[in-house]
Amino acid sequence: MPGIDIEGVAMRFGQVDALKDVSLRVPEGAFVTLLGPSGCGKTTLLNIIAGFLAPTRGRVLFDGQDVTGLRPEARDTAMCFQSYALFPHLSVQENIAFGPRQKRLERAETARRVTGLMEQLGLAPHAAKLPNALSGGQQQRVALARALAVAPGVVLFDEPLSNLDAKLRDQVRTEIRDLQRRVGFTAVYVTHDQAEALAMSDTVFLLNGGVIEQSGGPRDIYFRPRTRFAADFIGAANLHDGPISGGAMDTPFGPVPVDAPDAAHRTLCWRPEVVRLTEAGALSGKVAHVAFQGGWLDLFVTAGGQTLRLQVSGTHDIPEGATIRFDIPREAVVVLKDGANA
Amino acid sequence: MWTLPRLQTLLASLLTAVFLLWLIVPFAMALLWSLVDPGTPWSYPDILPPALSFERWTLMWETTTLSTAMFNSYTLAPVAAVTAIVLAAPTAYAFARIDFPGKAAAQIVTLTPLVLPGFVTAVFFASILVSFGVYSRYGAILLGHVVLFIPYAVRILTVSFAQVNQEVINAARDLGASGWGVFRAAFWPVLKPGVLASFLIVFILSIEEFALAFIVGSPSFTTIPTILFSYLGYDFIRPNAAVVALILVVPNVLLMLVLERLLQSANPANVSGKG
């Protein structure tokens, strides 16, 4: 189970820089996601780790060993593809056995692994079926079993859940995480779905335009975004531009408290659900629109031509047009790095 | 009442009937003509031949070089088909999976043999071969057929190669497959129908090709079409021509049916991704 180091990797396709000088470290046995919008370079980076692409610059290390020049078949990796990429003419069982057979594993050991994986992933009843006789979720499991059958130290996931419906996605997501803990492998997971990234990862690497915008644990990256892009891409965010003086920024809603020195121009950011509704609140605004979401309530509050998005428990019953007062905890407000020149 | 499904059934059976007639009538006529007894000719008022016999068949077999011609045709065709496929494969691969400057032009150039009349190609091909020092008739016709029919193989195989899913190729490599293993797992299942189709088309075109076989081969080297055409010339003998025509057609039909079965069984591979 190797740890992975990416050192100064850049990738150029013709005139386009898909990756510009990316460095990151994946600890042994960790589950990390590469998160970003399409075209951010996340899949390119995954293909470089797998060995399908050779980077224009930089190195890839597994446990300190340089594998940059190594072919995919010689790397300790297995990939789960977005389209599943099952062999359409081979049965479920033969698909799973493909890797061990190519690696000339002992027959008994191959059979043991295949049976074990089919058992674990609930594929035993479908062993003899061809992939096109299976549902999307089942195909996804076959792809996963096929990757795990070579007992890889690193499993690479390329948006493996994007073709599944929402409910199945939650289920398979949990299964993948369970399996990763149980079997033990280093996982690199590519997705554009921030909920997936937050729910599964030990560490999230947020990519934008071929560079790592921010990295950190799910909580850190959600509650402490450092840039406008990070604030915006992961969930909803409220932003305020203006000067900070005396530990607060004056806004049409009232003073937003912040733990930062005075400055002429900064951008503050906080998440909609950190808000506390209270009669004694220092901030206030008019409720322009209410959207009941079941478990929670989305409130769109306006003042001075600006709109904030607040999220409160679904048990509140607030009519549109009402004026509400609220507080924002000082520790929940962050100053964005690229606020001053934005 | 004329309900829509009934109308559709009616139209479908009508269409089938027309096609069957279209195929069967000439076929039946050829069969009847080939069985006309040489002693009692089939002429105007008779609807059916007055007497039937296999004498024309035995006569043709004994008095002509039909057996040699059949040997020539039925060895030329498969060899030409396999050679064309082998030579077309790299080009088709490049057209389907590699981007290179001038690709569009190259694709048009490979198709040009299709628009040249066969006789034009044949006339100049014969002289080129002689100046290259190729004197073997068999070799010359084989080479000619490969050149003439390679565009079909290129065209069909280009489509096949384009259908191979890059992620499946990557998956095979990722799981440790060698070059051959990748070919077997990712390429062959998708290519197989295209290869069979190319084989069938080149085979049939080669069996039926006349111009080049005639110009390069005649008079000493015969194929089935050159014999057939010799019965359509000044001394047109319809029963004899019918015998040769049937010999030309029947194996093609059989081959087509066999390959059709192979194609069906070879195709679990409607490559799926989303489900």
Side-chain angles (χ1 to χ4, degrees):
Chain A
M1 204 177 3
I4 304 169
D5 283 290
I6 307 289
E7 290 181 351
V9 160
M11 186 76 207
R12 205 177 164 80
F13 295 112
Q15 297 301 308
V16 185
D17 284 314
L19 289 173
K20 309 166 196 161
D21 193 30
V22 169
S23 296
L24 60 85
R25 140 151 270 281
V26 183
E28 168 182 345
F31 197 112
V32 307
T33 41
L34 307 176
L35 173 67
S38 57
C40 72
K42 58 191 191 296
T43 301
T44 304
L45 184 54
L46 196 73
N47 281 327
I48 288 172
I49 298 174
F52 297 130
L53 291 173
T56 317
R57 255 184 308 111
R59 300 198 302 163
V60 179
L61 306 158
F62 286 3
D63 272 345
Q65 299 273 321
D66 190 341
V67 298
T68 319
L70 227 52
R71 288 166 298 126
E73 51 269 43
R75 297 188 186 193
D76 188 16
T77 59
M79 176 112 103
C80 276
F81 295 87
Q82 186 172 16
S83 71
Y84 312 146
L86 299 176
F87 304 117
H89 63 297
L90 297 181
S91 70
V92 166
Q93 196 171 2
E94 291 165 333
N95 260 288
I96 301 173
F98 185 87
R101 280 186 189 153
Q102 296 300 324
K103 303 205 159 159
R104 311 215 174 286
L105 219 68
E106 219 179 300
R107 213 173 266 259
E109 171 64 10
T110 304
R112 200 186 59 74
R113 281 192 197 177
V114 171
T115 327
L117 282 164
M118 286 200 301
E119 209 61 34
Q120 280 186 44
L121 287 160
L123 292 167
H126 310 294
K129 288 187 190 162
L130 290 177
N132 62 8
L134 301 179
S135 72
Q138 288 163 343
Q139 291 187 28
Q140 173 57 57
R141 290 200 181 92
V142 179
L144 192 59
R146 184 180 66 176
L148 294 180
V150 294
V154 178
V155 180
L156 307 170
F157 297 90
D158 185 10
E159 309 215 16
L161 307 185
S162 58
N163 292 331
L164 301 180
D165 59 52
K167 210 160 190 176
L168 203 54
R169 209 177 311 163
D170 282 354
Q171 189 191 332
V172 180
R173 183 205 278 173
T174 319
E175 279 176 19
I176 290 179
R177 195 63 230 251
D178 272 359
L179 216 56
Q180 189 255 344
R181 291 209 180 92
R182 203 145 29 98
V183 178
F185 52 81
T186 307
V188 182
Y189 189 102
V190 159
T191 182
H192 63 266
D193 180 340
Q194 40 107 0
E196 224 166 88
L198 296 178
M200 298 179 89
S201 323
D202 297 322
T203 307
V204 178
F205 293 94
L206 179 64
L207 272 80
N208 181 32
V211 296
I212 295 178
E213 186 91 12
Q214 188 173 345
S215 65
R219 276 174 184 283
D220 186 46
I221 210 157
Y222 182 76
F223 285 114
R224 317 222 53 94
R226 283 208 289 272
T227 61
R228 274 173 189 272
F229 175 82
D232 225 40
F233 188 78
I234 304 177
N238 291 306
L239 303 178
H240 302 284
D241 290 319
I244 298 175
S245 72
M249 179 184 287
D250 259 331
T251 71
F253 302 91
V256 174
V258 60
D259 203 3
D262 291 3
H265 195 165
R266 287 286 181 268
T267 300
L268 304 187
C269 168
W270 49 278
R271 297 292 181 188
E273 63 279 2
V274 303
V275 75
R276 282 194 304 248
L277 294 185
T278 155
E279 279 307 319
L283 295 103
S284 70
K286 190 163 170 269
V287 178
H289 181 63
V290 179
F292 177 62
Q293 307 277 10
W296 72 91
L297 207 59
D298 278 327
L299 300 173
F300 296 87
V301 176
T302 59
Q306 295 182 20
T307 304
L308 293 181
R309 179 179 180 148
L310 311 183
Q311 205 173 81
V312 298
S313 160
T315 52
H316 285 91
D317 189 5
I318 296 165
E320 288 181 5
T323 300
I324 54 166
R325 302 198 70 84
F326 54 95
D327 264 335
I328 304 161
R330 180 179 301 268
E331 63 277 11
V333 179
V334 294
V335 180
L336 295 185
K337 220 169 55 181
D338 58 352
N341 48 7
Chain B
M1 272 304 287
W2 287 112
T3 59
L4 193 63
R6 274 180 78 177
L7 197 66
Q8 280 175 344
T9 321
L10 188 81
L11 283 176
S13 28
L14 208 68
L15 204 64
T16 316
V18 169
F19 275 123
L20 277 180
L21 274 180
W22 190 24
L23 287 172
I24 284 172
V25 167
F27 217 70
M29 290 301 283
L31 194 62
L32 279 180
W33 272 110
S34 75
L35 294 174
V36 168
D37 189 74
T40 46
W42 183 17
S43 53
Y44 167 59
D46 302 325
I47 294 178
L48 290 173
L52 296 180
S53 77
F54 278 105
E55 230 166 283
R56 299 280 181 185
W57 288 80
T58 43
L59 190 77
M60 287 297 291
W61 190 258
E62 279 159 7
T63 60
T64 66
T65 54
L66 192 56
S67 53
T68 330
M70 279 176 74
F71 174 80
N72 289 340
S73 281
Y74 283 107
T75 53
L76 272 173
V79 176
V82 170
T83 315
I85 289 169
V86 169
L87 293 180
T91 312
Y93 178 88
F95 283 166
R97 307 199 70 85
I98 302 172
D99 270 323
F100 56 90
K103 180 159 146 180
Q107 278 179 300
I108 292 171
V109 168
T110 41
L111 292 184
T112 44
L114 297 184
V115 297
L116 284 179
F119 271 104
V120 176
T121 318
V123 168
F124 294 103
F125 199 76
S127 67
I128 289 173
L129 283 179
V130 171
S131 62
F132 278 172
V134 178
Y135 294 107
S136 153
R137 298 290 166 92
Y138 191 95
I141 294 174
L142 179 63
L143 191 59
H145 282 185
V146 170
V147 170
L148 280 178
F149 305 135
I150 246 186
Y152 294 95
V154 169
R155 194 85 190 124
I156 296 170
L157 293 178
T158 301
V159 175
S160 295
F161 271 113
Q163 284 171 340
V164 180
N165 181 344
Q166 184 62 44
E167 287 204 334
V168 178
I169 299 174
N170 286 353
R173 291 186 61 191
D174 198 41
L175 294 167
S178 59
W180 173 242
V182 172
F183 177 79
R184 282 220 339 216
F187 281 91
W188 180 241
V190 184
L191 293 183
K192 195 169 164 188
V195 169
L196 290 179
S198 308
F199 183 88
L200 183 67
I201 284 186
V202 177
F203 186 95
I204 288 176
L205 286 171
S206 165
I207 284 277
E208 295 183 344
E209 201 281 331
F210 170 70
L212 195 126
F214 180 72
I215 290 174
V216 175
S218 73
S220 58
F221 188 89
T222 52
T223 63
I224 301 174
T226 57
I227 288 216
L228 177 61
F229 276 78
S230 71
Y231 289 104
L232 301 177
Y234 296 110
D235 45 354
F236 178 42
I237 310 163
R238 182 167 282 147
N240 295 357
V243 171
V244 183
L246 281 175
I247 289 175
L248 186 60
V249 165
V250 172
N252 288 357
V253 174
L254 290 180
L255 182 72
M256 202 182 74
L257 292 177
V258 168
L259 289 184
E260 199 61 35
R261 284 307 289 263
L262 279 179
L263 278 184
Q264 276 171 6
S265 61
N267 203 13
N270 283 330
V271 183
S272 57
K274 314 205 168 191

